Amino acid sequence: TSRAAAVLSTVLSNKAASATAFAAGAVDKPLATFLADAMTAHKPSAKVNLAAVSAFRQVATNPVGIKAMEDANAVDPIVHAMARIIEEPKVVVQACVTLSSYVFGSSDRKVAVAKARGIRAVARALGATRDNKLVQLSGIVLLRNLTAGVAANQKNAADEGAIEVVLDAMSKFPHENDVCTQGVAVLTNVCCDEDAVKRFIKAQGSDVVLPCVRKPELPEELATDVVVLYRNLAEHAKDSRKTLGSEFMVDLVDFLDKFANKEDLALPACQFLRYASYSEENRERIRTCGIIEILVEMVDYHISSAAMVEHIIIALSNATHKNPVNRAFVIENHGVQATFKAVKEHSSNTTVTLQAFRLFRNLALADPNRETNSFLAENDIQIIDYAIATALVGETASNPDVVENVLATLYNLAPCDVNFERMKEKDMEVKLEKIQSQFSGNPKVTDQCILFAKLLSQTEKKSMFRRGNKSSLASSNLTSSNLMSGRNRDFGASTNYNNKTGMLTTASLSGPTPDAKKSGIFGSMRKK
């Protein structure tokens, strides 16, 4: 039996012979059934199982062969061989490679292997053969394929200890790029809920993953995969975002120094910062690590990409949430001009306009009377004119979130005398009446209109805003429950405002990113 299986394996491993066999229909259900039955009849025999699974490895390279394996129910004996003959590395390697080919690109086959306890078998095989690189690599690749795009398998893998065995393999072979790259991919797939993230943190995953990428010649693909992993971790971490920020922020700066011009890495990096900024400590780190300067430079570099501009601005918005120092830092580093240039570039894009004015809304709170910052005041007029002439007309004007944030930005700019007079010149009061009528069913917009109209009706505007004056909004009887915006109110970032947290919740961003490209040019961006 073993000789027959070995002959099949040898013949099918020959490219020409294999093509002839598949074309002639020789690789069919009876052949696959013979191999499967041989493995079942000789369960303890490493020799028979190795020969048979080696033949299956060749069979699984062709759709015809995969169909024959399905018809013959070949998955069960292959998984059983991997589980039973765990002391024979060659059997485990051949089984992992075979199943990797078998499940590639098919969710149904991935689920079938998981139901045959394939995830448990490979996790145990990895734990039992820690010193064998081939076993570790082939097993990790199989875990990657089994968990890619199948939520049930991702949860199953976490429960079967995949996070721990993958981290163990990476710690055992930290200088092997293939082990590290495939391991990071598995962790990215599996760390898709809060429980999995807790397992990663409990296993001190950062102490394993980050040393693997602290290399002079870091492959861009590996750097990108690590950023995507930490983006996913930050999204699901909730209570652990502070920890993740403290562990990863410095490494992220190094990645951005090298690859910030690569969208495949830069986009998930901005998404990581978006989530990490929910932690007050991380907002401080973003500034002290020099990330604000990099983000502002990235706006200009990626200005043609609406998706990149959107997420960079969101990262800046979250970084400036309840952080006056960060607001001043963004302004100092020309963040207003960069964002204004981007919003004009994508003037018809509602999402970019919305995120830009959420950032402007935060930045407008800096030095409200423009008593010490004439540089900021010079930009105010451009923003006011653009808001009134462009953002509040056309397609973007039909979006209540855009309108509400534009009005909040203008309201926060109003303490400056020049700004106030400009709004009066532009007949802002008349526009407010029209907006209030258009959005009569939206309390956030109408309340903002009422408040703004009240401000513009004041003849002695200064008395409304002079610091410490009791008539200011901060000490008025208007509350956040019935009025979402106004002086001393700023935004986090993205889609849904949460009155309890003062931040914005976001839709899920987990998932794969495109293949990485070549290295970047941003090495000199960060101020030393």
Side-chain angles (χ1 to χ4, degrees), residues 183-482:
V184 169
V186 175
L187 294 171
T188 302
N189 289 344
V190 175
C191 293
C192 56
D193 59 36
E194 192 171 4
D195 289 339
V197 173
K198 287 179 179 178
R199 295 182 76 123
F200 177 89
I201 292 174
K202 184 178 179 181
Q204 298 180 322
S206 291
D207 291 342
V208 176
V209 172
L210 296 180
C212 291
V213 295
R214 290 170 183 156
K215 303 173 182 178
E217 299 298 327
L218 175 65
E220 184 185 337
E221 180 184 2
L222 180 55
T224 302
D225 289 345
V226 170
V227 174
V228 173
L229 168 61
Y230 275 84
R231 186 272 311 277
N232 288 2
L233 291 170
E235 178 185 355
H236 299 291
K238 294 183 180 179
D239 297 332
S240 304
R241 286 172 177 146
K242 174 182 174 182
T243 301
L244 291 170
S246 66
E247 294 172 341
F248 184 54
M249 202 75 76
V250 173
D251 291 278
L252 179 63
V253 173
D254 291 335
F255 292 167
L256 290 174
D257 274 346
K258 296 175 182 176
F259 307 117
N261 63 328
K262 302 300 181 181
E263 187 170 334
D264 296 336
L265 183 146
L267 182 61
C270 291
Q271 292 165 345
F272 167 79
L273 294 170
R274 168 187 196 164
Y275 291 115
S277 293
Y278 281 90
S279 160
E280 183 178 348
E281 291 81 0
N282 286 341
R283 293 198 288 275
E284 291 293 311
R285 289 190 186 97
I286 287 173
R287 182 185 74 254
T288 57
C289 287
I291 293 178
I292 286 178
E293 300 101 303
I294 296 177
L295 289 174
V296 172
E297 291 281 349
M298 285 168 61
V299 173
D300 187 60
Y301 190 89
H302 295 283
I303 196 165
S304 62
S305 169
M308 273 303 308
V309 167
E310 173 194 346
H311 288 288
I312 295 168
I313 294 174
I314 288 173
L316 288 170
S317 293
N318 264 7
T320 57
H321 176 71
K322 294 184 178 179
N323 195 311
V325 180
N326 282 5
R327 289 177 200 145
F329 217 67
V330 170
I331 294 165
E332 253 180 56
N333 284 277
H334 310 288
V336 176
Q337 296 96 314
T339 305
F340 187 57
K341 182 180 177 182
V343 76
K344 288 194 297 181
E345 177 78 12
H346 301 280
S347 58
S348 61
N349 188 307
T350 300
T351 305
V352 172
T353 302
L354 173 61
Q355 303 306 339
F357 275 93
R358 280 178 169 157
L359 175 59
F360 289 150
R361 175 178 184 167
N362 289 358
L363 298 180
L365 293 167
D367 189 21
N369 293 320
R370 303 301 186 260
E371 294 172 348
T372 61
N373 198 331
S374 59
F375 170 74
L376 180 58
E378 292 171 6
N379 294 283
D380 290 353
I381 297 299
Q382 296 183 63
I383 294 173
I384 291 167
D385 289 350
Y386 181 85
I388 295 173
T390 306
L392 292 178
V393 299
E395 185 178 343
T396 57
S398 62
N399 185 299
D401 289 331
V402 171
V403 172
E404 191 271 331
N405 279 279
V406 170
L407 294 179
T409 299
L410 294 174
Y411 186 90
N412 287 350
L413 289 171
C416 175
D417 288 324
V418 175
N419 295 345
F420 184 85
E421 293 304 323
R422 187 70 165 189
M423 294 176 199
K424 297 282 280 188
E425 289 173 14
K426 294 289 183 178
D427 296 323
M428 192 64 211
E429 291 170 284
V430 175
K431 294 185 183 297
L432 286 173
E433 292 178 4
K434 293 180 180 179
I435 293 170
Q436 189 172 356
S437 174
Q438 179 183 353
F439 293 96
S440 57
N442 189 309
K444 291 193 294 185
V445 175
T446 54
D447 285 350
Q448 183 66 67
C449 287
I450 293 170
L451 181 68
F452 203 174
K454 182 179 178 181
L455 163 64
L456 293 173
S457 68
Q458 301 296 311
T459 54
E460 296 182 4
K461 185 269 310 178
K462 276 283 188 179
S463 65
M464 282 286 290
F465 292 96
R466 189 170 291 117
R467 295 165 188 172
N469 191 295
K470 292 183 180 180
S471 63
S472 68
L473 177 63
S475 58
S476 72
N477 58 5
L478 295 168
T479 64
S480 61
S481 62
N482 59 25

Side-chain angles (χ1 to χ4, degrees), residues 125-185:
L126 289 172
T129 51
R130 298 176 63 246
D131 296 323
N132 189 304
K133 180 192 167 184
L134 282 178
V135 171
Q136 297 296 309
L137 180 57
S138 60
I140 290 172
V141 170
L142 176 55
L143 281 174
R144 176 180 184 172
N145 287 351
L146 288 171
T147 56
V150 182
N153 285 7
Q154 293 164 358
K155 181 71 167 62
N156 187 352
D159 293 341
E160 294 293 351
I163 293 172
E164 290 79 4
V165 295
V166 168
L167 288 171
D168 185 63
M170 293 174 68
S171 66
K172 197 75 176 176
F173 302 99
H175 303 297
E176 300 290 344
N177 281 342
D178 47 5
V179 173
C180 293
T181 299
Q182 298 296 333
V184 169

